[in-house]
């Protein structure tokens, strides 16, 4: 009797969060912005326009200087890593997972081939994810460590996908696949714990 493939969707980066979306929590900044808004409302339209132009130019100049001088703070680097560097990777992983999920819903008579095709695409997709992650430049020790944990997780998950692909035709791969799943879960837990610690340190919270 042919063994039924049981494939578990375990995305590494997403994990219950909305595409890794984080929201900054900083009440003191909010209060300052509210006070600034009240004061600004009392100014003339011309003054508001001038102030806004000066603020925009000042902010841009500060960003340019920070970039040129390599003086980005760890908090700024973390923000860039999450909101810019990781954004495309999270979307790519989400699309891979959608493809796998769709294959799971194929009729029984077509499911094996649909899963083979979807797994082949997913395996290649995680290779691309690893290459894209490797290309991200980070400086702080914490982000270097986080990046390495993500790369390790991608590698283990790719191996897990390969075993899922082999299991379709070779039921003896079952125990090896389950062991790889446990290894992946440990790597995933390490990465997410580290990420959450950094998010808390820099005033972010996960949006579930």
């Amino acid at each position: 009797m042919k063994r039924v493939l049981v494939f578990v969707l375990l995305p590494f980066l997403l994990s219950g969060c909305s595409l890794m979306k984080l929201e900054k929590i900083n009440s003191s900044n909010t209060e300052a912005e509210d006070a600034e808004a009240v004061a600004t409302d009392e100014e003339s339209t011309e003054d508001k326009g001038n102030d806004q132009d000066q603020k925009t130019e000042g902010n841009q100049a500060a960003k340019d200087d920070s970039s040129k001088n390599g003086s980005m703070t760890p908090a700024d680097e973390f923000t860039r890593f999450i909101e810019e560097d990781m954004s495309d990777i999270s979307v790519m992983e989400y699309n891979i997972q959608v493809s796998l999920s769709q294959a799971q819903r194929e009729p029984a008579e077509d499911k094996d081939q649909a899963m083979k095709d979807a797994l082949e695409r997913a395996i290649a997709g995680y290779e691309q994810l690893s290459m894209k992650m490797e290309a991200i430049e980070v400086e702080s020790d914490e982000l270097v460590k986080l990046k390495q944990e993500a790369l390790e997780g991608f590698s283990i998950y790719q191996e897990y996908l390969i075993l899922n692909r082999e299991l379709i035709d070779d039921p003896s791969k079952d125990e090896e696949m389950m062991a790889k799943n446990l290894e992946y879960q440990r790597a995933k837990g390490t990465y997410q714990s580290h990420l959450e610690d950094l998010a808390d340190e820099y005033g972010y919270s996960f949006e579930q």
Side-chain angles (χ1 to χ4, degrees):
M1 182 177 178
K2 195 168 187 178
R3 188 180 184 85
V4 177
L5 174 69
V6 179
F7 183 79
V8 183
L9 299 181
L10 299 170
F12 190 70
L13 296 175
L14 307 182
S15 183
C17 297
S18 178
L19 295 182
M20 292 284 290
K21 185 176 180 182
L22 301 171
E23 289 187 345
K24 193 71 176 290
I25 298 176
N26 193 323
S27 59
S28 61
N29 284 352
T30 301
E31 291 170 1
E33 290 169 1
D34 289 343
E36 182 181 19
V38 171
T40 303
D41 287 340
E42 297 173 354
E43 298 174 353
S44 65
T45 302
E46 181 178 356
D47 288 341
K48 286 192 294 184
N50 291 336
D51 288 346
Q52 186 61 41
D53 290 342
Q54 292 173 1
K55 184 183 293 185
T56 300
E57 292 173 1
N59 288 343
Q60 187 60 49
K63 289 180 181 178
D64 292 343
D65 289 343
S66 175
S67 177
K68 290 177 182 178
N69 298 331
S71 58
M72 182 175 288
T73 67
D76 289 338
E77 189 180 13
F78 179 78
T79 297
R80 185 187 67 184
F81 182 77
I82 293 300
E83 296 183 359
E84 297 179 22
D85 297 332
M86 296 299 293
S87 178
D88 289 344
I89 292 179
S90 295
V91 172
M92 287 172 65
E93 187 182 32
Y94 174 79
N95 289 335
I96 292 171
Q97 294 296 324
V98 167
S99 176
L100 289 169
S101 180
Q102 290 173 341
Q104 280 280 74
R105 295 194 294 270
E106 288 290 327
E109 62 272 17
D110 301 325
K111 181 170 287 187
D112 277 1
Q113 188 58 51
M115 285 304 303
K116 287 179 183 179
D117 294 342
L119 286 164
E120 291 290 350
R121 291 192 299 269
I123 292 164
Y126 272 86
E127 184 68 29
Q128 293 178 349
L129 286 176
S130 294
M131 293 173 62
K132 196 171 184 66
M133 176 69 76
E134 187 65 56
I136 294 176
E137 296 183 1
V138 292
E139 296 182 3
S140 72
D141 291 342
E142 289 294 345
L143 284 184
V144 169
K145 180 179 178 182
L146 190 68
K147 173 183 170 179
Q148 189 56 45
E149 289 168 352
L151 284 169
E152 182 178 356
F154 283 157
S155 177
I156 295 172
Y157 190 60
Q158 187 181 39
E159 293 170 3
Y160 172 71
L161 292 173
I162 292 171
L163 288 169
N164 268 273
R165 167 64 180 82
E166 294 173 352
L167 182 66
I168 296 175
D169 297 319
D170 183 1
S172 69
K173 294 288 183 179
D174 183 53
E175 289 187 9
E176 188 178 355
M177 186 199 73
M178 297 307 295
K180 185 62 66 175
N181 177 32
L182 291 176
E183 182 183 358
Y184 167 76
Q185 290 284 10
R186 288 192 293 269
K188 179 180 175 182
T190 297
Y191 168 82
Q192 290 179 341
S193 177
H194 188 191
L195 176 62
E196 289 170 8
D197 286 344
L198 288 177
D200 183 64
E201 179 179 350
Y202 295 124
Y204 280 76
S205 67
F206 285 98
E207 182 178 275
Q208 296 294 332

